[in-house]
Amino acid sequence: MLYLIGVGHVFPLREKVRELIKVLEPEAVCVELDQLRYKMLLEKERGGSPFPFSLLSRMYDRASEVYGAEVGEEMLGAIEVAKELKIPYFFIDVPVQKELPSALRELPLGERVKLVLSAFAASLLPRSLLKKATDEVMEDPQKLSQEFEKHYPELKKILLDSREDYMARRLSWVLGRFSNVVAVVGEGHLEGLQRRLQGTELKVVHLKELINRGMEDILKMGGNGVAERVEGVKIQFVVKENPWEEIY
């Protein structure tokens, strides 16, 4: 069973994610990070990311201030729980510094200009409008994805399509070794990952459910939500370091 937990990187979800993972008792945890970004989150470093990640990072920082959160805290919380439970955790996202710069150099000039202008406009939005825009994304993430594809078709292939291909392969690799897995990923990736993982037994917790519902309600949900806790043998890795951390 694969549990896909949709998150928003600007919301204060660390404790919710920690609690849900503890309740589900997975054999492994996956996060939408690579090793370098994990290190940067731990050390609270900024900068060093290729365009357009640097622009997106600035927008995330500003939006997270509106909600009183720290960007990426939900990913750190997921890894913290994996360490506490002594289970392996996996970085399933594309190594940004290694893989994306060459692809981004091919980005059409028009999309680069539009992205810079959009980021600049977002930086000038009042906090109330920024919060409203973020809330709208939470309610209908697919609408944003459609708009993104309309205005930035090549950038979508790089930031969404190619990364989701990679994440789906990584998740399939992990599922070949562990039967009960939790993956914490951005809400905007859920539809693409579900499509790529057709045939995989999975359940989904969407961002708005994670934010607005209590833990008992989340666990009772049917359909795309978590219907019940999987009972089974829990694998314990009694080690100080994660033996899988270097494996890609």
Side-chain angles (χ1 to χ4, degrees):
M1 173 70 74
L2 171 62
Y3 295 93
L4 287 175
I5 302 177
V7 297
H9 304 310
V10 302
F11 297 99
L13 294 173
R14 190 181 204 131
E15 293 308 314
K16 270 282 187 78
V17 168
R18 284 174 52 87
E19 184 181 1
L20 183 54
I21 292 175
K22 286 181 178 179
V23 170
L24 293 174
E25 295 184 334
E27 297 169 7
V29 171
C30 298
V31 292
E32 183 200 326
L33 286 176
D34 61 50
Q35 289 174 315
L36 177 59
R37 278 184 290 154
Y38 172 55
K39 177 177 181 292
M40 293 176 69
L41 284 177
L42 281 179
E43 299 175 358
K44 300 185 184 301
E45 293 181 10
R46 290 290 183 267
S49 298
F51 174 91
F53 273 90
S54 55
L55 289 177
L56 296 174
S57 178
R58 294 190 190 99
M59 288 191 283
Y60 279 142
D61 285 341
R62 187 157 182 268
S64 67
E65 293 173 2
V66 174
Y67 294 92
E70 292 187 11
V71 174
E73 66 177 56
E74 76 287 353
M75 300 294 173
L76 294 180
I79 295 175
E80 288 170 358
V81 171
K83 291 180 177 181
E84 291 169 13
L85 297 177
K86 296 182 175 62
I87 60 176
Y89 55 91
F90 298 88
F91 304 120
I92 61 169
D93 202 1
V94 172
V96 171
Q97 295 283 12
K98 180 180 179 182
E99 302 292 340
L100 292 187
S102 59
L104 291 170
R105 282 195 291 270
E106 304 300 320
L107 191 66
L109 179 60
E111 289 192 28
R112 287 174 176 262
V113 172
K114 283 194 292 185
L115 184 62
V116 171
L117 293 176
S118 296
F120 180 72
S123 70
L124 299 178
L125 280 178
R127 290 169 65 92
S128 59
L129 291 181
L130 185 60
K131 184 178 186 302
K132 180 181 178 182
T134 307
D135 287 343
E136 289 175 354
V137 171
M138 178 181 69
E139 288 297 322
D140 190 0
Q142 294 314 312
K143 181 179 179 181
L144 176 66
S145 179
Q146 291 166 3
E147 287 295 312
F148 191 71
E149 182 173 17
K150 177 181 177 182
H151 296 288
Y152 305 100
E154 293 304 316
L155 187 58
K156 177 184 177 290
K157 292 177 184 177
I158 297 170
L159 294 189
L160 294 181
D161 297 342
S162 64
R163 289 172 63 212
E164 287 167 5
D165 288 342
Y166 184 92
M167 285 191 277
R169 290 196 299 270
R170 288 284 291 150
L171 286 170
S172 295
W173 186 91
V174 175
L175 287 165
R177 289 152 179 80
F178 302 93
S179 60
N180 186 21
V181 176
V182 167
V184 182
V185 301
E187 173 71 23
H189 292 298
L190 291 181
E191 183 181 27
L193 288 176
Q194 289 180 83
R195 187 170 62 251
R196 288 167 171 80
L197 293 168
Q198 286 183 8
T200 300
E201 185 180 11
L202 61 82
K203 295 193 180 294
V204 176
V205 178
H206 289 279
L207 171 61
K208 62 182 179 181
E209 295 155 358
L210 191 63
I211 290 177
N212 297 324
R213 294 177 180 267
M215 198 56 58
E216 288 187 5
D217 289 338
I218 292 174
L219 294 171
K220 290 177 182 177
M221 286 167 48
N224 276 339
V226 177
E228 60 183 25
R229 221 170 80 182
V230 172
E231 301 294 341
V233 178
K234 183 178 177 183
I235 300 176
Q236 291 283 354
F237 287 80
V238 186
V239 291
K240 291 184 178 180
E241 300 295 334
N242 176 22
W244 303 88
E245 190 169 287
E246 299 294 332
I247 296 178
Y248 277 88

